[in-house]
Amino acid sequence: MFRYNALSHEEVKRFETPSTRNYTEVHLEDLSVNPSGDPSWQPVHCVMPSRYRMFAEYIRDLTVYEDDVWIVTFPKAGTTWTQEMVWLVHQDLDYKKAASINLNDRSVFMEISAILNVIKFPDTIGIVEKMPRPRHIKSHLPLALLPKQLWTVKPKIVYTARNPMDVTTSYMHHYKFINGFRGPREDYLDGIMADQLIYCPQIKHATDFWALADRDHVLFLHFEDMKRKMPEVLLKVCAFFGKSYSPSQLEELEHHLKFDTMKENKSANNEAMMTEIQMMTGVPNDFKFMRKGQVGGYKDELPAEFIEKFSVFVEQQLKGSDFRYRE
């Protein structure tokens, strides 16, 4: 079902981390299920630590249910924000339940246990299989590595894209403080440009889903719209799930989803996860999973020469697609 191309250790050792090692390109070869319907569709590979090979087919063959809700993003593209928004809209604005159950338990990160080989997480794929329905499931996997039944059973799928400059900036902090990357910033940025970090290629991750944005069971969102036009986004999400709420209810939801509110929301800000990671690694830090949530924040953190080169790279990667990121 998959072909694996182990990347040269000499080539990628600068990008590896203690918890994600021995990077491998995972290529889907089984085209019996074609999400696009386009006979010329070629699935995009994904860079994963070698540990993922033990789980790739398990995930690909996962049983999917029509009442599932899947949240899919490239890392640091507004995933947590999308999870909380979608869960509340779908669950009739049950704030009490949302406050009493951590978001990571309400919307399970499916493949995390298939990636990290130092920090011992529970079997998250098994947890997904046993979740009470309707299940809310989070994944950063690209289209080709996700369960094939997503395209035959057709549950609700919400995809959120974010400008790759801001993703790169946020992922840089994530890669350092969660994955344990200890190299210089220049090595990390080289990894981004080479598309050889975990979950890369980054741009193709979004364009593959954009090609399916007209499907009835797929909702494609932009992080920047959530920042600037949240009322419009909420109406779109409500319509997608067949929900109708009053103006006052939507106003309350918008306030609940404001970045500063979310940052202080202990059931949704991943503070508990960060504490657990610090305990497991023995490396305490004051890193906040929800850092700034800005649009355009990359201008203050990324070198001008990288921004220039990466802009050219992004345009090259977008050739052949009518998808464009928000600025």
Side-chain angles (χ1 to χ4, degrees):
M1 185 181 295
F2 291 100
R3 173 172 55 84
Y4 302 96
N5 176 28
L7 299 179
S8 164
H9 181 66
E10 288 303 310
E11 183 180 349
V12 299
K13 65 182 179 180
R14 292 186 300 143
F15 317 142
E16 292 183 341
T17 75
S19 58
T20 55
R21 296 193 298 266
N22 301 321
Y23 289 3
T24 299
E25 289 181 355
V26 184
H27 296 258
L28 175 67
E29 293 201 318
D30 174 16
L31 303 185
S32 60
V33 175
N34 184 334
S36 71
D38 181 351
S40 66
W41 177 67
Q42 291 296 317
V44 179
H45 74 272
C46 183
V47 175
M48 283 290 176
S50 59
R51 172 180 172 83
Y52 187 79
R53 296 179 61 159
M54 297 186 294
F55 302 89
E57 295 193 16
Y58 180 18
I59 290 174
R60 186 66 178 166
D61 289 333
L62 192 76
T63 298
V64 172
Y65 300 103
E66 191 175 3
D67 58 356
D68 280 349
V69 177
W70 289 72
I71 306 298
V72 183
T73 71
F74 191 82
K76 312 309 294 181
T79 321
T80 304
W81 202 10
T82 306
Q83 286 174 275
E84 181 76 350
M85 173 180 64
V86 167
W87 191 91
L88 284 166
V89 167
H90 186 238
Q91 297 294 318
D92 300 322
L93 306 182
D94 192 343
Y95 295 105
K96 184 177 180 179
K97 186 174 182 179
S100 65
I101 304 175
N102 193 278
L103 179 60
N104 289 322
D105 296 320
R106 290 183 275 127
S107 185
V108 175
F109 185 2
M110 176 183 64
E111 72 271 8
I112 185 65
S113 61
I115 295 174
L116 300 183
N117 57 12
V118 172
I119 302 171
K120 302 301 181 184
F121 275 81
D123 174 13
T124 47
I125 307 168
I127 290 172
V128 164
E129 288 184 309
K130 297 173 184 175
M131 286 175 72
R133 295 167 57 187
R135 307 181 302 182
H136 278 240
I137 302 162
K138 159 193 166 180
S139 179
H140 294 313
L141 293 175
L143 187 152
L145 271 59
L146 286 165
K148 60 188 176 185
Q149 287 188 6
L150 286 177
W151 317 112
T152 55
V153 177
K154 301 182 179 178
K156 297 289 189 186
I157 304 170
V158 180
Y159 186 93
T160 302
R162 185 183 186 187
N163 186 291
M165 295 288 187
D166 282 325
V167 165
T168 293
T169 304
S170 187
Y171 199 23
M172 178 169 61
H173 294 280
H174 181 106
Y175 219 66
K176 178 179 180 181
F177 291 108
I178 297 182
N179 290 42
F181 177 69
R182 294 293 177 261
R185 181 180 67 174
E186 290 72 23
D187 283 356
Y188 165 81
L189 295 177
D190 285 349
I192 286 287
M193 283 291 298
D195 259 339
Q196 290 184 334
L197 299 188
I198 302 301
Y199 288 114
C200 284
Q202 180 185 169
I203 313 306
K204 298 299 184 184
H205 197 290
T207 56
D208 251 16
F209 263 92
W210 177 251
L212 305 178
D214 61 346
R215 302 294 197 273
D216 290 340
H217 70 296
V218 177
L219 178 63
F220 197 104
L221 301 176
H222 292 266
F223 176 94
E224 294 76 14
D225 291 347
M226 292 167 68
K227 287 289 290 186
R228 296 171 176 144
K229 301 185 290 186
M230 181 58 93
E232 293 181 21
V233 173
L234 290 179
L235 289 175
K236 187 180 295 186
V237 174
C238 287
F240 183 64
F241 286 101
K243 300 288 185 178
S244 179
Y245 300 114
S246 70
S248 62
Q249 287 177 310
L250 291 173
E251 186 176 343
E252 181 183 12
L253 178 56
E254 182 183 1
H255 175 76
H256 177 87
L257 293 170
K258 286 185 180 299
F259 185 82
D260 288 343
T261 306
M262 284 278 292
K263 196 171 184 178
E264 300 303 320
N265 182 350
K266 292 186 182 298
S267 73
N269 63 7
N270 279 325
E271 185 176 295
M273 181 187 74
M274 289 305 304
T275 300
E276 184 178 0
I277 288 175
Q278 290 170 23
M279 290 175 61
M280 289 180 175
T281 60
V283 182
N285 62 71
D286 59 358
F287 176 70
K288 301 296 183 183
F289 190 90
M290 299 189 71
R291 258 182 358 103
K292 296 182 179 180
Q294 296 177 336
V295 172
Y298 71 89
K299 298 171 186 176
D300 299 322
E301 297 203 48
L302 298 181
E305 60 271 22
F306 173 81
I307 293 174
E308 184 176 349
K309 287 194 302 182
F310 194 50
S311 296
V312 173
F313 172 79
V314 171
E315 283 304 311
Q316 291 173 340
Q317 292 289 299
L318 289 174
K319 285 182 179 178
S321 172
D322 62 354
F323 171 70
R324 292 297 178 268
Y325 289 100
R326 303 283 198 262
E327 296 293 334

